[in-house]
Amino acid sequence: ARIPGERDGALLVGVYSTSERGARGNAQASMDELVELAKTAGVRVADVVMQFRPTIDGKTLVGKGKLEEICLLALHQGAEVIIFDRDLSPSQLNAITDLTDLKILDRTMLILDIFARRANSRGGKLQVELAQLHYSLPRLAKKQTGLSRLTGGIGGQGPGETKLEIDRRRAKDRIQRLGKELERYAGERQRRRQPRNEREVPVIAIVGYTNAGKSTLLNRLTGADVYVANELFATLDPTSRRLRFPTVKDEVGREVVLIDTVGFIRDLPDTLKNAFRSTLEELADADLLLHVVDGSDARREQHIEAVNDVLDDLGLHDTPRLIVLNKMDRRKDDGAGEATRRRAVCVSALTGAGLPELVARLRELLPSIPGHEHVHGGSPGATPA
């Protein structure tokens, strides 16, 4: 039975090369993530197919015979969509849609659909539309009829006037207009941030793998009401809140600005990184990166590496970072050994455990940042930024 608000049923297909080291473990982690992405998009997961091959079929990924089997299974399971756990080239999309009338999506299309549903700000919507256009343009040139099937359901939702069946010329014109609008929007945001920078208010950016609990931590620290859900990419627009450290004795107290950012995901396509540059550009203003990690996730080491890779790509090698091991209420041990090794703080944003220790660490770290020598610690209080 379909859950109210649920969208199309989907068959998820993962094709993985056995020649890669740790292929099966990595493949399962990747497929688990695709399942979470599908659920976040409101898709009913009808079934999952995983195939391991010495080499990936360059034309259809799985081979023509296997693809026919997959299409029959999708029909049997009542799935309207097949979602592949990798990006499809224009020629692959063309070959696959030649063999079936089912909707065909790849990983990036699914992520873009989630972005389209989640983005609320003007800048976020512009970025999503631009990313959709950049990704769909070469595929439109290859096979408009195949992509046009996406427009009515999953993968076809866009925040602007653009639909995936738009012709190549209109798409290019729209890309140019969106680029100019985003430049203006970035300038406006820079002007809005200027007073904060002139006051030398320390900026702490909360970063981390998607669904690590960043928004919950922001809410717990500041009393904010940022949207929180057990979903991937729950936050797509940067959210800023002020956190005031109370005065200590006769010294002047100071405030800091906490910024919640979009969660990272491994193998994030460059298309998406570039499209959300104005979301991630907030990180360039940060004096400290608060790297929130799901301390209960067995794959947290890979998640930490994925986030660090993105941060390094953004040129943030020298920005101080503090790891926060979150969701410790779900762990059997207290995580003390791991916290010592990572120089991290253990917290549960859900219960509030460990937050006094986190605030104390922030108090220790912030005075070392030039221009912020007067920040002091204590129990946090907050007002909207």
Side-chain angles (χ1 to χ4, degrees):
R2 176 165 296 202
I3 299 171
E6 194 175 51
R7 305 168 83 190
D8 297 341
L11 179 68
L12 308 187
V13 179
V15 189
Y16 310 100
S17 171
T18 53
S19 62
E20 298 173 2
R21 186 177 178 183
R24 293 189 180 272
N26 292 334
Q28 188 60 56
S30 185
M31 179 54 75
D32 290 346
E33 205 163 73
L34 187 68
V35 170
E36 288 302 316
L37 286 168
K39 290 178 180 177
T40 297
V43 174
R44 175 180 61 85
V45 178
D47 207 343
V48 171
V49 175
M50 297 177 69
Q51 185 190 46
F52 294 89
R53 301 169 57 96
T55 56
I56 305 298
D57 186 284
K59 187 173 183 181
T60 62
L61 297 183
V62 295
K64 185 176 179 181
K66 184 66 175 179
L67 182 60
E68 290 173 352
E69 285 181 30
I70 288 170
C71 293
L72 287 173
L73 177 61
L75 293 172
H76 180 71
Q77 298 286 13
E80 299 93 344
V81 186
I82 297 176
I83 305 176
F84 285 88
D85 187 27
R86 61 174 58 234
D87 289 345
L88 299 173
S89 69
S91 61
Q92 287 169 340
L93 181 64
N94 195 46
I96 293 170
T97 53
D98 271 342
L99 292 173
T100 178
D101 288 332
L102 294 169
K103 300 175 188 175
I104 304 298
L105 270 73
D106 62 19
R107 191 181 182 90
T108 292
M109 291 178 191
L110 182 62
I111 292 173
L112 283 170
D113 187 85
I114 295 170
F115 282 8
R117 287 159 60 84
R118 291 272 183 259
N120 294 313
S121 73
R122 173 170 157 258
K125 291 176 181 179
L126 290 173
Q127 291 156 8
V128 170
E129 188 177 354
L130 185 62
Q132 287 178 321
L133 280 167
H134 273 302
Y135 196 73
S136 65
L137 186 58
R139 290 154 182 82
L140 289 168
K142 278 283 179 183
K143 193 178 183 72
Q144 278 189 314
T145 55
L147 279 166
S148 66
R149 290 200 293 272
L150 302 179
T151 58
I154 179 74
Q157 177 168 345
E161 67 179 31
T162 304
K163 300 296 183 184
L164 288 177
E165 74 271 13
I166 194 169
D167 62 57
R168 188 177 180 85
R169 180 185 57 78
R170 286 182 60 203
K172 285 184 173 180
D173 290 344
R174 183 64 179 158
I175 284 172
Q176 288 184 338
R177 289 199 298 273
L178 286 171
K180 291 177 181 177
E181 282 190 61
L182 276 169
E183 285 180 11
R184 286 197 297 271
Y185 182 74
E188 291 171 8
R189 286 182 57 189
Q190 181 62 38
R191 286 192 292 275
R192 288 199 299 270
R193 290 202 306 267
Q194 196 62 37
R196 180 206 306 166
N197 295 338
E198 290 173 353
R199 292 198 309 269
E200 292 187 338
V201 178
V203 176
I204 301 173
I206 303 177
V207 301
Y209 206 76
T210 189
N211 204 26
K214 299 180 299 297
S215 297
T216 305
L217 181 62
L218 176 71
N219 288 347
R220 175 66 71 165
L221 283 171
T222 66
D225 56 356
V226 179
Y227 175 72
V228 174
N230 185 28
E231 298 171 339
L232 303 184
F233 299 115
T235 300
L236 281 177
D237 295 303
T239 302
S240 300
R241 291 291 183 272
R242 287 202 304 267
L243 171 65
R244 184 173 295 279
F245 289 91
T247 57
V248 176
K249 295 182 180 179
D250 297 327
E251 296 176 332
V252 179
R254 290 286 298 274
E255 66 182 13
V256 298
V257 172
L258 290 175
I259 298 173
D260 190 17
T261 59
V262 60
F264 298 121
I265 193 167
R266 66 179 179 178
D267 302 325
L268 188 70
D270 289 338
T271 307
L272 301 186
K273 290 183 196 174
N274 295 336
F276 279 76
R277 185 176 57 195
S278 63
T279 295
L280 298 175
E281 75 181 5
E282 294 273 2
L283 301 181
D285 295 330
D287 300 296
L288 177 68
L289 300 176
L290 210 59
H291 183 171
V292 181
V293 177
D294 182 348
S296 67
D297 196 315
R299 299 185 297 271
R300 58 187 176 276
E301 189 68 47
Q302 295 96 310
H303 293 177
I304 290 172
E305 290 177 5
V307 172
N308 286 338
D309 287 345
V310 175
L311 294 176
D312 291 344
D313 286 345
L314 293 169
L316 301 172
H317 312 77
D318 298 328
T319 305
R321 302 176 195 178
L322 173 62
I323 289 182
V324 178
L325 294 174
N326 189 26
K327 303 187 183 182
M328 296 304 291
D329 53 302
R330 298 184 181 182
R331 270 180 65 156
K332 295 179 181 179
D333 66 325
D334 61 5
E338 183 177 357
T340 300
R341 177 168 57 87
R342 299 190 189 279
R343 298 182 180 178
V345 179
C346 294
V347 306
S348 169
L350 188 64
T351 67
L355 292 190
E357 290 79 4
L358 174 57
V359 171
R361 283 291 295 276
L362 295 178
R363 180 183 59 192
E364 293 170 4
L365 289 169
L366 288 173
S368 65
I369 299 171
H372 307 141
E373 292 82 1
H374 302 294
V375 180
H376 296 284
S379 300
T383 53

